[in-house]
């Protein structure tokens, strides 16, 4: 009824329809669109694919396309003079194109993000004037499932071709004409057979310099680590860095105390300075003192053995008073035997005051002092060294508050 006159008024009625004359081919009819006179248009009935065939039509731009959801569009534009594609979002009907054939045209570049329809499944740009498929184009292709035909373009085989080389090697099944892609510099060698060093010698040199620099840095760091290993671990621990490499193992997780301090009662002045530092702050420890935490009336040797076994470390406050104390020396011997038994360094010796009679020390303590380092009270790094020698509890290091103090 289109164009029918009713009492001098021409009837206008928008419509969209498929007119099928047989089982295979239909015609797409719309009030807003007619096929370009230079093209042939038809719809394949079973797939509802609208074919707009403008091959050899001497077009310099895309033909007008229908705005429709009834069919999808296959656009055949081979052998024309198209030098630039339109904006995909600003051209009516262009976003509905799923297959686009642009072989034998005058394209010199492609902006995939702006110029390609989002639903495109096949792009044929063979035999154009494209010299570079840049990184943006390759990124777009990597994030899509679109198949490509790229052969016959005068590709520049330099560093700019590296993204394309990586793409065709990673996803060769998406390139329909892999064997027809050549560089203008190597017309006898397929693009896929070229090496990175041939395309971009400076890139290989840059990678080599970077790798060489990394090797040198790693070697220097290794040498510094071997020379200053202890100092580096102490620094890392006190700054809460790389704690995975310095944290205490889980072997002592069932022990009650982090440390048992063995000392002579005549050196209680030092204990008064040690306890506040050890039982408070970020690195808070549970400390056992015989005068505070032992049960009154219990057998002293049994309490020594039990406390040493329940402690992750035994801190020996070494002074002349300690040497003269029978119970203090017993505490050291039990701790020394525990160290030999589990083959772990549990004893921390703090030299409180210079010893007056070194020859009076027990043979075990003398041997231990000769074979192991000890902390000296008054050392500027005393507290850093002491905290490093203490158990490295991951819970405390990660900022979780750990209860510290006497066990009542």
């Amino acid at each position: 009824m289109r164009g029918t006159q009713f009492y001098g008024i021409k009837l206008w009625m928008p419509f969209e329809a498929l007119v099928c004359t047989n089982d295979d081919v239909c015609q797409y009819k719309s009030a807003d669109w007619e096929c370009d006179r230079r093209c042939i248009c038809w719809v394949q009935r079973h797939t509802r694919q609208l074919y707009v065939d403008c091959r050899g039509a001497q077009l310099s731009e895309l033909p007008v396309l229908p705005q429709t959801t009834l069919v999808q569009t296959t656009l055949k534009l081979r052998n024309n003079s198209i030098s630039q594609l339109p904006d995909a979002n600003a051209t009516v009907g262009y976003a509905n194109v799923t297959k686009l054939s642009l072989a034998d045209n005058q394209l010199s570049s492609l902006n995939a993000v702006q110029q390609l329809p989002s639903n495109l499944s096949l792009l044929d740009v063979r035999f154009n004037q494209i010299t570079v498929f840049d990184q943006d184009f390759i990124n777009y292709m990597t994030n899509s499932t679109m198949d490509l035909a790229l052969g016959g373009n005068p590709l520049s085989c330099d560093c700019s071709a590296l993204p394309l080389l990586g793409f065709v090697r990673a996803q060769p099944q998406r390139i329909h004409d892999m064997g027809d892609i050549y560089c203008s510099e190597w017309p006898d060698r397929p693009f896929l057979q070229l090496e990175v060093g041939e395309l971009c010698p400076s890139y290989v040199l840059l990678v080599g310099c970077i790798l060489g620099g990394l090797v040198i840095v790693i070697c220097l760091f290794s040498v510094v680590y071997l020379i200053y290993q202890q100092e580096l671990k102490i620094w890392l621990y006190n700054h809460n860095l790389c704690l995975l490499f310095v944290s205490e193992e889980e072997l002592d997780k069932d022990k009650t105390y982090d440390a048992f301090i063995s000392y002579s009662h005549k050196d209680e002045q030092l204990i008064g300075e040690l306890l506040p530092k050890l039982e408070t702050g970020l690195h808070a420890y549970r400390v056992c003192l015989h005068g505070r935490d032992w049960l009154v009336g219990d057998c002293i040797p049994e309490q020594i053995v039990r406390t040493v076994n329940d402690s992750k470390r035994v801190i020996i406050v070494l002074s002349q008073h300690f040497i003269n104390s029978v119970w203090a020396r017993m505490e050291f011997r039990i701790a020394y035997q525990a160290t030999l038994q589990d083959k772990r360094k549990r004893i921390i010796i703090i030299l409180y005051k210079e010893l007056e009679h070194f020859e009076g020390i027990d043979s075990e303590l003398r041997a231990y002092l000769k074979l192991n380092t000890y902390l000296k009270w008054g050392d500027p790094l005393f507290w850093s060294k002491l905290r490093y020698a203490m158990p490295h509890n991951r819970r405390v290091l990660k900022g979780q508050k750990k209860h510290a103090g006497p066990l009542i």
Side-chain angles (χ1 to χ4, degrees):
M1 298 176 65
R2 183 175 52 168
T4 304
Q5 297 284 339
F6 286 92
Y7 302 100
I9 299 175
K10 189 175 182 178
L11 178 64
W12 180 85
M13 180 184 292
F15 68 92
E16 183 180 26
L18 295 181
V19 179
C20 301
T21 57
N22 56 50
D23 293 337
D24 297 325
V25 178
C26 303
Q27 288 185 337
Y28 174 78
K29 299 287 186 178
S30 172
D32 302 323
W33 178 81
E34 289 186 1
C35 182
D36 193 293
R37 293 181 292 105
R38 296 165 293 181
C39 306
I40 300 174
C41 306
W42 76 93
V43 175
Q44 191 172 21
R45 183 169 186 170
H46 298 293
T47 62
R48 288 204 172 185
Q49 190 81 21
L50 170 64
Y51 289 86
V52 179
D53 190 346
C54 303
R55 289 176 290 182
Q58 299 181 350
L59 299 178
S60 59
E61 60 184 12
L62 266 64
V64 177
L65 299 173
Q67 179 69 40
T68 176
T69 59
L70 186 61
V71 293
Q72 293 180 328
T73 305
T74 293
L75 190 54
K76 297 183 177 183
L77 299 173
R78 183 167 186 167
N79 193 20
N80 282 283
S81 302
I82 299 173
S83 59
Q84 188 173 1
L85 294 179
D87 189 329
N89 297 320
T91 304
V92 175
Y94 188 43
N96 199 44
V97 174
T98 58
K99 296 180 181 179
L100 179 59
S101 175
L102 289 164
D104 292 295
N105 276 275
Q106 303 297 322
L107 296 173
S108 59
S109 63
L110 276 177
N111 187 329
V113 176
Q114 292 184 359
Q115 297 179 338
L116 295 183
S118 58
N119 296 321
L120 199 62
S121 62
L122 174 63
L123 174 65
D124 182 0
V125 290
R126 293 173 295 167
F127 300 103
N128 277 269
Q129 302 300 318
I130 302 173
T131 57
V132 175
F133 293 96
D134 59 17
Q135 186 65 60
D136 291 338
F137 180 86
I138 299 302
N139 291 341
Y140 184 88
M141 293 301 120
T142 303
N143 295 325
S144 72
T145 58
M146 185 190 313
D147 288 346
L148 300 169
L150 307 176
N153 286 286
L155 296 180
S156 296
C157 284
D158 50 22
C159 295
S160 62
L162 291 180
L164 178 61
L165 181 64
F167 176 76
V168 299
R169 286 182 173 178
Q171 304 188 47
Q173 72 281 359
R174 293 174 56 187
I175 313 298
H176 289 190
D177 58 341
M178 179 72 70
D180 296 329
I181 304 177
Y182 288 85
C183 288
S184 55
E185 293 85 351
W186 285 284
D188 299 328
R189 293 183 61 188
F191 179 73
L192 187 62
Q193 295 180 4
L194 298 177
E195 299 296 334
V196 174
E198 295 176 299
L199 295 177
C200 189
S202 59
Y203 176 80
V204 177
L205 179 61
L206 176 62
V207 172
C209 291
I210 293 175
L211 292 178
L214 289 176
V215 170
I216 293 175
V217 170
I218 292 173
C219 291
L220 290 176
F221 181 80
S222 300
V223 171
V224 172
Y225 179 78
L226 292 175
I227 297 176
Y228 301 102
Q229 179 177 359
Q230 191 74 1
E231 290 82 356
L232 181 61
K233 287 185 176 180
I234 292 174
W235 187 88
L236 290 174
Y237 178 73
N238 281 281
H239 289 80
N240 287 337
L241 300 174
C242 299
L243 302 180
L244 179 63
F245 300 101
V246 295
S247 296
E248 183 75 1
E249 298 178 1
E250 295 294 326
L251 299 178
D252 293 336
K253 61 182 180 181
D254 296 328
K255 293 187 179 295
T256 305
Y257 301 104
D258 291 312
F260 165 54
I261 301 180
S262 176
Y263 65 100
S264 170
H265 69 277
K266 295 182 180 180
D267 297 324
E268 287 186 348
Q269 180 181 355
L270 174 62
I271 305 304
E273 297 185 48
L274 283 177
L275 278 183
K277 294 280 189 178
L278 292 176
E279 293 186 337
T280 58
L282 178 61
H283 304 290
Y285 303 100
R286 187 184 296 281
V287 178
C288 177
L289 301 178
H290 60 255
R292 183 186 66 182
D293 301 307
W294 281 5
L295 297 176
V296 177
D298 203 354
C299 178
I300 293 179
E302 292 180 0
Q303 292 204 80
I304 295 175
V305 173
R306 184 168 57 250
T307 305
V308 169
N309 290 334
D310 288 343
S311 302
K312 300 176 183 178
R313 297 289 188 273
V314 176
I315 300 176
I316 305 294
V317 179
L318 186 59
S319 66
Q320 194 62 47
H321 298 141
F322 183 92
I323 299 300
N324 297 333
S325 172
V326 175
W327 296 118
R329 295 201 305 272
M330 178 181 292
E331 291 170 356
F332 170 79
R333 284 196 294 271
I334 294 174
Y336 182 65
Q337 292 300 322
T339 299
L340 294 178
Q341 184 176 359
D342 58 15
K343 297 180 181 180
R344 297 182 61 197
K345 292 184 178 180
R346 297 188 179 278
I347 299 176
I348 303 173
I349 294 182
I350 299 176
L351 183 59
Y352 180 39
K353 296 179 180 179
E354 294 296 335
L355 302 180
E356 300 175 1
H357 305 291
F358 189 81
E359 63 278 359
I361 301 178
D362 292 347
S363 58
E364 292 174 334
L365 179 55
R366 186 186 298 111
Y368 189 87
L369 290 174
K370 289 182 178 181
L371 297 176
N372 297 273
T373 58
Y374 52 85
L375 304 180
K376 190 172 183 179
W377 179 254
D379 183 350
L381 297 177
F382 172 80
W383 289 110
S384 296
K385 293 179 179 180
L386 178 59
R387 290 192 184 96
Y388 177 73
M390 291 290 285
H392 301 172
N393 298 306
R394 290 193 180 97
R395 298 190 309 274
V396 176
L397 298 179
K398 291 182 179 178
Q400 298 180 11
K401 186 176 179 181
K402 176 184 175 183
H403 175 71
L407 196 66
I408 304 300

